[in-house]
Amino acid sequence: MEEKTIIIESKESNFQIEQTMEFQLTFSKDVSEFNFIKYEIAKIDPSSEYNVIRGSFTQDLIKNGDNLYILRLKASILKEGIYFFSDIELLKNEKIDSEFPLKFDDYGDAHVQQRHFRIYSNNEDVKEAIFTEVENIQKNRNENFISGLGDKSNQNFFSSYFFVKNLYLDKQFTYGKLKIIPYSKYSISNIYDYINSFIANEIGLDVCISYDPNDRIKYENPGVVIFYPKIFAKNELEAYNISESITQNLLQSFSLTRDTKGEIISAIVIDSQTKKLFYSKPETFSANNIMSGEMFGEDPYLNQKVLRLIQDDPFFSLLTNLYRDAVNEQHVEIKYSKLWTILEVLAESKKYPENVLKKTYLDGSKIQHKANGNSKIGNSNPKPTIKDKVREYFRDSLKQNPFLSNLLPLKSINVDRIDNLLTIWYRHRNCMVHSGGCQPFNTAVCKNSPDYALCKSKHVEIVKSNPERNIYNDTYLNFLHTSVRCILLNYFLLKTGYKDVNEHFFMVMKAIPSLKLEEININSMGELGKILKIEV
């Protein structure tokens, strides 16, 4: 019997609702130092790929022989269905944070055997053996798991693995067509060693990513690997993009449920038909501003001034926190929304009276009033929107900071006036907040009006020369980013009286990353071949 194994068995695996269930627990090692058992009970939903946790319980560990124990549970606390024991821990005391619990699960070297049971009503005739039924459910789930993502008209299919840091999970999850695998919860000296260990031990491939021994990329975070067994795609890059997009959304969901910010550190894509492995090199660092020197922000005196204002001015602290979050955002539409929020917060703080709003555009030409969603039809003086307030704040900033207009060269970005940029930014923000994102070809969302038409034309302009619009190639997003940064620095100047600045102070020279997948030939498909049911 394996080290740290528990067998859960009962004289019967089917229990009527009014019964008290009794299970015998057989441990592979002496557990006499523990006094309590904590466990979850999960219900299997035969119609989906998910199991649902139905309760967490802590009970006395009742001894019944050498390494034998009894567990009793009333069936009435559960409804009809098939259940199993999950996330079992032995505790020395009853507290959840018990020191050094002994865990039994499907991860690492601790396993649970014969864990399933069924609850049924008095008048139900249970004919099929429960373990056969569970096997059939699992077979259907496995078939769905490897049925594949993407356009199945593509002849090629790939598998991908995304290595994620800063996300701690204790057990595996399968979500439809992907699996989340906790891997090496402890510190590893090098990211390449971490990835090579997973390739060898989990995928079973006899390949190794080589690296410069001097390139010591430290990896000291809890990690998981997100596995996509089959992605139909034209090539490895498309397969990467399909699974990377889902991975980012998944990490976004974990930020809420686990209160943590998981980040992708590397990925591998495997073409099982040509037997090639592609991998993205782990980045040693991520930097937006690649210019150096005091005039580009490497000024201790300047940074001390900024730090002091952050400490003394809670409003500036809020703004810089919002900006830091926006800088890190990878989703193009969410980034629009986050950057616009900073302009909105600043504009609202000024409490502009309505009689100064909606008078002129930033170039001085008069605004022709039209009815909008905040006015009655035919009203020649509609109520100002937040866009009008942002326009006024922009006007003040342009007067206070001549460098801002220099950073927005209208001819090179193909707009007639700065107000057109405000329209594009505001349109993206509204479509994200109210419609879930940019949908330029959905007429129910992207309506037939000048504002929408302008925004749509710029989207089409970008995708004509790019496979997609993203945070790197969207010129209009980058000018929003530049403008927000400039305005925040202007706030700093006004509050501190700091004057030792020039145009370089507001400039950022960015390194635009390009995804390149390195290639390695593989001889045998290992465990992946077994999962995909292809030649091993």
Side-chain angles (χ1 to χ4, degrees):
M1 190 179 294
E2 293 183 59
E3 181 71 8
K4 292 204 304 186
T5 299
I6 176 175
I7 299 176
I8 303 175
E9 51 194 341
S10 176
K11 294 179 180 178
E12 55 183 324
S13 57
N14 302 300
F15 299 90
Q16 292 187 350
I17 288 178
E18 69 274 8
Q19 286 181 283
T20 296
M21 301 178 287
E22 185 171 290
F23 301 89
Q24 178 173 280
L25 314 179
T26 305
F27 295 97
S28 60
K29 61 180 295 183
D30 181 14
V31 297
S32 57
E33 62 181 308
F34 297 97
N35 300 310
F36 298 93
I37 180 169
K38 178 178 174 288
Y39 58 92
E40 291 178 348
I41 290 180
K43 184 178 182 181
I44 295 177
D45 183 353
S47 63
S48 79
E49 64 269 25
Y50 302 110
N51 300 318
V52 182
I53 301 298
R54 287 304 185 193
S56 180
F57 307 88
T58 302
Q59 296 181 8
D60 292 337
L61 199 55
I62 304 172
K63 193 172 180 62
N64 193 40
D66 291 340
N67 291 340
L68 299 178
Y69 294 81
I70 295 294
L71 187 151
R72 296 187 180 96
L73 188 69
K74 289 186 178 295
S76 58
I77 66 173
L78 303 171
K79 296 181 179 180
E80 295 178 32
I82 298 174
Y83 296 84
F84 65 95
F85 290 93
S86 171
D87 206 23
I88 299 171
E89 297 181 25
L90 297 186
L91 310 174
K92 293 182 180 179
N93 58 65
E94 204 168 356
K95 292 182 179 179
I96 299 300
D97 58 348
S98 173
E99 186 179 8
F100 306 121
L102 181 62
K103 294 189 175 186
F104 297 87
D105 52 35
D106 286 328
Y107 171 63
D109 60 353
H111 298 277
V112 183
Q113 299 176 16
Q114 298 179 1
R115 61 173 69 187
H116 295 90
F117 60 93
R118 187 207 312 260
I119 305 294
Y120 67 100
S121 60
N122 291 329
N123 57 6
E124 181 179 352
D125 183 16
V126 180
K127 296 180 180 179
E128 188 175 8
I130 183 171
F131 298 112
T132 301
E133 189 171 347
V134 170
E135 286 178 359
N136 289 334
I137 292 171
Q138 192 60 51
K139 179 182 177 183
N140 292 334
R141 290 181 177 182
N142 289 339
E143 289 175 354
N144 177 58
F145 176 56
I146 64 170
S147 61
L149 297 164
D151 184 356
K152 294 184 180 180
S153 65
N154 287 312
Q155 297 296 313
N156 300 326
F157 64 84
F158 303 81
S159 304
S160 66
Y161 299 81
F162 283 79
F163 296 85
V164 174
K165 69 175 183 178
N166 296 333
L167 176 58
Y168 177 81
L169 296 174
D170 199 43
K171 53 188 174 183
Q172 292 189 11
F173 296 88
T174 299
Y175 291 91
K177 298 175 177 62
L178 67 91
K179 179 178 287 187
I180 302 176
I181 307 167
Y183 190 67
S184 193
K185 307 173 193 175
Y186 308 102
S187 298
I188 292 182
S189 62
N190 193 289
I191 293 176
Y192 288 107
D193 294 339
Y194 171 79
I195 295 171
N196 283 331
S197 171
F198 185 87
I199 291 173
N201 297 328
E202 300 298 319
I203 311 177
L205 302 182
D206 186 21
V207 297
C208 186
I209 296 173
S210 60
Y211 61 91
D212 183 347
N214 296 318
D215 185 14
R216 303 305 294 173
I217 307 173
K218 296 293 184 182
Y219 181 81
E220 296 178 350
N221 293 280
V224 302
V225 180
I226 302 176
F227 168 42
Y228 300 83
K230 187 177 288 186
I231 309 151
F232 292 94
K234 296 175 183 176
N235 52 49
E236 65 277 3
L237 279 173
E238 185 178 55
Y240 174 93
N241 287 331
I242 291 171
S243 46
E244 191 268 346
S245 176
I246 297 172
T247 301
Q248 293 289 6
N249 290 338
L250 185 64
L251 296 181
Q252 193 171 328
S253 73
F254 276 122
S255 70
L256 181 62
T257 60
R258 296 288 290 168
D259 197 27
T260 186
K261 182 185 177 184
E263 298 176 69
I264 297 171
I265 54 174
S266 185
I268 59 177
V269 177
I270 296 175
D271 184 342
S272 55
Q273 294 151 300
T274 63
K275 293 186 178 178
K276 292 184 183 295
L277 180 147
F278 306 87
Y279 67 95
S280 63
K281 288 186 175 181
E283 296 295 333
T284 55
F285 70 97
S286 175
N288 280 333
N289 197 339
I290 61 172
M291 303 301 290
S292 60
E294 291 190 1
M295 68 172 58
F296 293 102
E298 290 185 334
D299 181 344
Y301 179 73
L302 167 64
N303 282 286
Q304 184 182 35
K305 285 275 191 180
V306 173
L307 174 61
R308 188 168 297 161
L309 185 60
I310 289 173
Q311 292 171 332
D312 295 343
D313 184 342
F315 186 59
F316 187 61
S317 178
L318 167 66
L319 295 171
T320 51
N321 258 307
L322 291 172
Y323 181 73
R324 181 177 65 173
D325 187 40
V327 167
N328 291 329
E329 181 57 58
Q330 299 297 302
H331 189 292
V332 62
E333 299 303 328
I334 298 176
K335 197 178 188 84
Y336 264 112
S337 184
K338 287 182 176 181
L339 288 167
W340 178 270
T341 295
I342 298 170
L343 296 180
E344 189 172 318
V345 170
L346 283 163
E348 290 283 15
S349 72
K350 299 296 286 186
K351 302 188 185 314
Y352 292 111
E354 288 191 11
N355 63 347
V356 306
L357 301 172
K358 295 188 80 72
K359 298 295 184 183
T360 61
Y361 292 112
L362 294 175
D363 62 5
S365 59
K366 188 175 181 180
I367 295 175
Q368 300 298 317
H369 296 302
K370 296 179 181 179
N372 61 27
N374 294 325
S375 66
K376 296 179 180 179
I377 296 175
N379 187 351
S380 62
N381 191 21
K383 185 178 179 180
T385 65
I386 187 60
K387 177 184 170 185
D388 300 308
K389 297 176 184 179
V390 169
R391 179 192 293 114
E392 208 58 36
Y393 192 88
F394 227 87
R395 194 191 312 275
D396 289 347
S397 298
L398 287 166
K399 290 176 183 177
Q400 296 159 356
N401 187 350
F403 299 120
L404 178 56
S405 58
N406 295 340
L407 295 174
L408 300 173
L410 300 183
K411 290 183 180 180
S412 66
I413 54 178
N414 198 25
V415 293
D416 297 328
R417 53 191 180 195
I418 293 177
D419 281 277
N420 287 353
L421 287 176
L422 295 181
T423 295
I424 294 167
W425 300 340
Y426 187 50
R427 189 73 271 138
H428 278 289
R429 176 267 181 196
N430 275 3
C431 286
M432 183 66 235
V433 171
H434 300 299
S435 305
C438 179
Q439 302 176 56
F441 304 107
N442 183 345
T443 55
V445 175
C446 195
K447 301 170 184 176
N448 186 23
S449 71
D451 285 8
Y452 284 95
L454 173 65
C455 189
K456 179 178 178 179
S457 69
K458 300 309 177 185
H459 169 84
V460 171
E461 172 189 298
I462 294 169
V463 297
K464 271 186 178 179
S465 53
N466 297 279
E468 62 177 1
R469 184 170 53 82
N470 57 43
I471 63 172
Y472 305 114
N473 60 30
D474 189 332
T475 308
Y476 306 96
L477 173 62
N478 287 323
F479 277 111
L480 171 59
H481 190 161
T482 299
S483 299
V484 170
R485 179 176 181 272
C486 185
I487 285 171
L488 287 178
L489 289 171
N490 190 61
Y491 180 99
F492 160 75
L493 297 178
L494 291 173
K495 286 289 183 177
T496 61
Y498 189 84
K499 298 185 182 300
D500 188 17
V501 297
N502 55 36
E503 189 166 8
H504 295 292
F505 178 73
F506 300 97
M507 293 174 62
V508 174
M509 299 297 292
K510 292 188 177 183
I512 307 300
S514 59
L515 176 65
K516 182 181 179 183
L517 297 178
E518 305 291 333
E519 179 181 324
I520 303 176
N521 292 321
I522 53 183
N523 297 319
S524 172
M525 292 306 299
E527 291 299 315
L528 179 59
K530 295 177 183 177
I531 292 172
L532 298 176
K533 300 178 182 178
I534 59 177
E535 180 268 324
V536 178

